[in-house]
Amino acid sequence: MRKNKVLKYVIQVIGWGIVFGFPLFFTWKEVEPISWLRYLGYVFVPVAFMIVFYCNYFFLIDRLLFRRGLVQFLLVNLVLFVVLSLLLDWWHGYYVVNIQGNKFHIGGPPKIVFILRDCMTMALTAALSVAIRMTENWYVLEDEKKELEKARAEAELQNLKNQLNPHFLFNTLNNIYSLIAIAPERAQYAVHDLSRLLRHVLYEDKQQFVSLEQELIFMKSYIELMGLRLSDKVDLRVELPDDGKGVLVAPLLFITLIENAFKHGISLTEKSFVHIYFKVEDSGKMHCRIENSNYPKKDNDRSGSGIGLENLRKRLDLLYPGKYRLNTQLEGKTYVAELVL
């Protein structure tokens, strides 16, 4: 913002420099260079234009045009144009007679013609000032709008995180609860493992981005925790890289898909499977594909109210707009979820 202000005034200085140096562009080839007396006869005209420009730029546009209306703004400008035009006409007569010494100056067209000419030129100067000021205000409003959108997106993202953490905890506790009846010792280990997972959720999730390596460790710990209560009828295959290749990623994106796979892909009585594949390319592109058998929960057993995937899509829209692909579909009896960042 500060650089834009500096650039704005630099451009104005250059513009007025060209206006005040205008006579020099047409007299430099003359044998006799322009004198200060000749330049003095010209310089009061751009000074009058500058007065009109900055009176509008700093005062009249904000205090009259934007607040009290167009009529008062036009009336004040009209008075300003007439007063300055009369002063220029007086200065021109004074300059010709007293400075140039031309006491026998023969008048040309009526003075009103020159006064109207100056008024029209000043009106164009005021219009230029209005155009510049309104353009600057538009840019300021756009910047403020972007800041508000950013603040709204951050607030919405934080709200989604606040929903996600209880959802993750609720689903994990359900799994530990079911494990208690089967193997109490393994349930104790699961609670200890859960504490490490919660540490990641509570501390790392506060950051907008974490290292992929940390997220992979979290995913492996979660899969190990879920695998404690699986029977021999479940085929669990996991392919996760050990190296995150220095990539940064938003926390707890992929865990939602893994949760759903364990939640809806495991049967207590029939053979089932969960296959998790993850790869990261040198370019930083991440590809997660999860396949699982399809055993959807009944209406009376929908823990978490199904907010996981919905929140995931909202978070991706906020964090990776136009830079992700999320597909979930049923291929025969296999449910496939695929996320590419």
Side-chain angles (χ1 to χ4, degrees), residues 223-238:
I223 293 170
E224 289 177 3
L225 177 60
M226 295 299 100
L228 290 176
R229 69 183 185 95
L230 298 182
S231 66
D232 295 336
K233 293 182 179 181
V234 180
D235 178 23
L236 176 62
R237 301 179 188 176
V238 181

Side-chain angles (χ1 to χ4, degrees), residues 72-87:
Q72 292 188 25
F73 173 75
L74 292 177
L75 288 176
V76 172
N77 267 292
L78 181 60
V79 172
L80 180 64
F81 300 160
V82 172
V83 170
L84 288 175
S85 296
L86 291 174
L87 288 174

Side-chain angles (χ1 to χ4, degrees), residues 4 26 47 58 91 94 115 124 133 204 305 312 320:
N4 291 338
F26 296 93
V47 167
F58 287 116
W91 166 251
Y94 180 84
I115 292 175
L124 292 175
R133 190 65 169 159
E204 301 298 341
S305 304
L312 175 60
Y320 298 94

Side-chain angles (χ1 to χ4, degrees), residues 41-272:
Y42 162 81
V43 76
F44 277 85
V45 175
V47 167
F49 293 161
M50 180 179 285
I51 292 173
V52 171
F53 182 90
Y54 285 111
C55 281
N56 279 274
Y57 187 83
F58 287 116
F59 301 104
L60 300 182
I61 295 174
D62 288 335
R63 298 183 181 183
L64 294 181
L65 182 60
F66 290 162
R67 294 183 181 181
R68 299 183 181 181
L70 180 62
V71 175
Q72 292 188 25
F73 173 75
L74 292 177
L75 288 176
V76 172
N77 267 292
L78 181 60
V79 172
L80 180 64
F81 300 160
V82 172
V83 170
L84 288 175
S85 296
L86 291 174
L87 288 174
L88 284 177
D89 180 70
W90 171 85
W91 166 251
H92 178 71
Y94 180 84
Y95 172 81
V96 170
V97 174
N98 295 282
I99 297 180
Q100 283 189 332
N102 188 1
K103 298 182 179 180
F104 302 100
H105 175 67
I106 300 177
K111 290 185 177 182
I112 188 66
V113 175
F114 296 102
I115 292 175
L116 290 176
R117 179 201 62 185
D118 291 338
C119 285
M120 290 296 296
T121 309
M122 292 180 191
L124 292 175
T125 303
L128 177 63
S129 178
V130 171
I132 293 175
R133 190 65 169 159
M134 293 187 71
T135 302
E136 290 175 356
N137 286 355
W138 181 81
Y139 278 111
V140 170
L141 289 174
E142 284 296 307
D143 289 339
E144 291 178 352
K145 183 179 178 182
K146 289 179 181 179
E147 289 296 323
L148 288 174
E149 285 293 321
K150 182 180 179 181
R152 182 197 63 80
E154 290 177 352
E156 185 176 352
L157 182 60
Q158 187 59 47
N159 181 54
L160 291 173
K161 287 183 177 181
N162 292 338
Q163 294 179 31
L164 179 63
N165 290 346
H167 173 259
F168 165 80
L169 180 60
F170 187 78
N171 285 340
T172 307
L173 288 175
N174 273 348
N175 289 328
I176 294 177
Y177 175 78
S178 62
L179 187 64
I180 291 175
I182 303 172
E185 292 183 0
R186 296 171 70 186
Q188 289 180 353
Y189 174 79
V191 171
H192 181 268
D193 206 23
L194 175 61
S195 67
R196 292 190 294 112
L197 297 179
L198 288 179
R199 190 176 297 110
H200 179 87
V201 171
L202 293 175
Y203 295 103
E204 301 298 341
D205 190 32
K206 299 300 180 183
Q207 306 177 49
Q208 187 171 2
F209 294 96
V210 298
S211 69
L212 178 58
E213 188 171 350
Q214 287 177 295
E215 197 68 13
L216 289 170
I217 293 174
F218 173 73
M219 291 160 60
K220 290 175 183 177
S221 298
Y222 180 81
I223 293 170
E224 289 177 3
L225 177 60
M226 295 299 100
L228 290 176
R229 69 183 185 95
L230 298 182
S231 66
D232 295 336
K233 293 182 179 181
V234 180
D235 178 23
L236 176 62
R237 301 179 188 176
V238 181
E239 293 184 12
L240 297 179
D242 295 323
D243 183 11
K245 298 184 178 181
V247 176
L248 295 179
V249 64
L252 302 180
L253 291 179
F254 303 102
I255 200 65
T256 300
L257 302 180
I258 297 175
E259 274 189 288
N260 282 348
F262 283 104
K263 182 178 175 181
H264 301 292
I266 304 299
S267 172
L268 298 177
T269 58
E270 302 179 30
K271 289 186 177 182
S272 53

